[in-house]
């Protein structure tokens, strides 16, 4: 008799090699599995909604695990937080049914990419923004966002190491929001290929700087072999905000 | 023939012992004087508008120095930034007259203290906020801010190590602004005693939590010997936003 627990996890990814266990450094998953071992005495495997790259942050990463030990939900949350480092925290723990799977049940994700429009270095933003020195034309960027929205083959927006067999994804919406010198790019979609958001944002910035015409986005979606390659925005501006589960409910 | 240069400096104070040179660790001032030596070959002394404590941040710290070497202003700014670590940056360099002094000419300062109202740890805010788990009554806190505004003897709001001979200061305004789970406390004043903003905010939070009546603030200002001691908020929530110089103009 095991029970399945869903965790919502936030982290500052600056110090990690990414979400997934890797031989070359410390991952978020490693820290979480270590904390589970210390808290419950069990060597548990954590299954996430997906990966995040080195330096990428999360406010709402979702994962699940099966425990033979039964603990109150607040004990999972607060107990894990006692063993986790300061840059990782369990925000919520919920009991879910056995057919819940953090990856296979996910119906959508919200990523936020934060740009800082500033000609000079800004130390307090350096870990969470991509600083763009040039001015950006937001009208052009908004037009480019509209082209990217909808169901498309995003093969031009994935990196070499991407192992997905299906490259058709749906982008529900891309919203640009200004807050002083910050520019938030909120991307909502059914699923994402490796580096997809960073390649979308990197290319949006090229359009905003006037270095690439808006129509270029159309060509990248429709005839990627003939289109110029996407530009990949750096990892520290990216944050996984939330993962949606329309069908799977918590118990 | 020297020329006086005014610098506006931003920093993430997390890794430093504070602004001022100290034997027990690395200070912002040390990094800046090192960068000046590397850039200009001169061993220069930097004079600041004041100090900030270990872990306190700045967006608009002001300091000045006298250089025998004449460089274009952008060379001071961009050149220093090449030699400074990523968590310190010169935001602006200006030429000022010889009667400008970063400390003695300052007519006001703006500090922002950031509170995070959240029952659970939040990794991405841990370096720049004080997380308060309890709920806060903003009406009570607003009343308390009004009591602190004006010309008062703030002797109850300074720490043991404070060497100021004058404890009467003027607080021009204290504004509370909510932004989702964040609560900004913006404090504008003529000058500040050691730990003054942190002790004001710590005590405001006591009032907001209902652990101290609003009237307590009056007693602390009028009869500090009979009043309960102030509570000091932690350093990482504090940021020096700007320093005002009404009289001294740049050249």
């Amino acid at each position: 008799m095991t029970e399945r627990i869903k965790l919502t996890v936030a982290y500052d990814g600056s110090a990690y090699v990414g979400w997934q266990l890797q031989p070359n450094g410390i991952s978020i998953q490693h820290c979480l599995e270590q904390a589970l071992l210390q808290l419950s005495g069990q060597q548990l495997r954590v299954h996430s909604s997906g990966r995040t790259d080195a330096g990428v942050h999360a406010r709402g990463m979702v994962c699940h695990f099966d425990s033979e030990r039964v603990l109150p939900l607040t004990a999972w949350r607060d107990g894990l937080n006692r063993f986790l480092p300061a840059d990782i925290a369990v925000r919520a723990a919920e009991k879910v049914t056995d057919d819940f799977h953090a990856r296979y049940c996910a119906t959508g994700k919200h990523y936020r990419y934060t740009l800082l429009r500033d000609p000079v270095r800004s130390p307090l933003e350096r870990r969470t923004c991509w600083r763009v020195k040039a001015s950006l034309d937001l009208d052009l960027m908004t037009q480019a966002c509209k082209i990217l929205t909808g169901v498309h083959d995003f093969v031009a927006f994935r990196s070499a190491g991407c192992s997905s067999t299906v490259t058709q994804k749906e982008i529900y919406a891309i919203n640009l929001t200004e807050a002083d010198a910050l520019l938030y790019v909120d991307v909502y979609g059914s699923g994402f290929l490796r580096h997809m958001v960073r390649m979308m944002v990197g290319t949006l910035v090229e359009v905003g700087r006037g270095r690439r015409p808006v129509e270029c986005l159309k060509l990248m979606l429709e005839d990627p072999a003939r289109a110029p390659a996407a530009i990949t925005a750096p990892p520290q501006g990216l944050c996984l905000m939330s993962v949606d589960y329309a069908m799977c409910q918590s118990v």
Side-chain angles (χ1 to χ4, degrees), chain A residues 2 5 13 58-59 85 94 115 204 237 241 243:
Chain A
T2 64
I5 305 293
R59 290 187 180 276
E94 297 160 75
L115 297 165
L204 282 174
M241 301 296 278
V243 185

Side-chain angles (χ1 to χ4, degrees), chain A residues 4 21 27 52 104 112 118 151 177 180 194 197 201 219 229 235:
Chain A
R4 184 159 288 189
L21 289 180
S27 63
T52 54
Y104 302 121
R112 168 171 282 187
D118 199 326
V151 179
T177 311
D180 298 321
R194 183 159 191 237
V197 180
V201 171
L219 191 65

Side-chain angles (χ1 to χ4, degrees), chain A residues 88-161:
Chain A
I88 306 176
V90 173
R91 298 282 303 165
E94 297 160 75
K95 190 164 160 27
V96 286
T97 51
D98 283 356
D99 58 353
F100 174 87
H101 191 288
R103 182 169 169 202
Y104 302 121
C105 297
T107 52
K109 284 180 189 171
H110 169 201
Y111 280 99
R112 168 171 282 187
Y113 198 99
T114 307
L115 297 165
L116 174 67
R117 293 178 291 170
D118 199 326
V120 187
R121 281 208 283 123
S122 192
L124 287 160
E125 278 75 31
R126 75 192 190 286
R127 292 175 189 275
T128 52
C129 298
W130 177 26
R131 182 168 67 89
V132 176
K133 286 179 252 186
S135 67
L136 297 174
D137 184 323
L138 295 198
D139 288 339
L140 289 176
M141 290 175 75
T142 304
Q143 290 174 43
C145 290
K146 281 193 190 129
I147 293 174
L148 291 170
T149 305
V151 179
H152 300 289
D153 183 344
F154 284 95
V155 70
F157 295 91
R158 72 161 172 181
S159 64

